[in-house]
Amino acid sequence: MSVLLAILSALAGNKTIMAIFAALVGGIGLYVAGGVSRARKDAARQAAEKLTAAEDRLEMDREASDAERAARGLPDEAARREAMRWARR
């Protein structure tokens, strides 16, 4: 046990070894921080895509509802033409 403590204290007293150790710890810390940052950016991008898709669906539903309201008062042939126009989109 005392031999291990002697080796560790000798390593801790060596400035070169401590500088290398600090650089390794710093590099690992930057790598981990970069991974966390990438994960957050990816989550934010996915949330933005989901929001855009939901807004698009809502707008399409509104347009379809407007077309349905307009078609209610139309005669059969005019309603059929309107439905064909929307079916082609």
Side-chain angles (χ1 to χ4, degrees):
M1 181 73 170
S2 62
V3 174
L4 182 62
L5 289 176
I7 292 172
L8 287 176
S9 65
L11 291 176
N14 190 335
K15 291 181 181 180
T16 305
I17 291 177
M18 288 308 294
I20 292 171
F21 179 72
L24 286 173
V25 169
I28 291 170
L30 287 175
Y31 178 77
V32 169
V36 169
S37 176
R38 283 188 299 275
R40 284 184 181 165
K41 285 180 184 176
D42 189 43
R45 181 188 52 81
Q46 288 178 356
E49 288 175 356
K50 286 181 181 180
L51 179 61
T52 301
E55 289 172 347
D56 288 344
R57 282 192 305 272
L58 182 61
E59 183 62 28
M60 288 187 332
D61 288 345
R62 285 182 186 149
E63 289 176 0
S65 296
D66 291 343
E68 288 171 354
R69 281 191 212 104
R72 281 188 197 140
L74 296 177
D76 288 343
E77 186 57 36
R80 198 171 292 116
R81 281 194 306 265
E82 182 70 20
M84 290 303 292
R85 186 177 72 112
W86 280 95
R88 288 186 193 135
R89 286 188 178 184

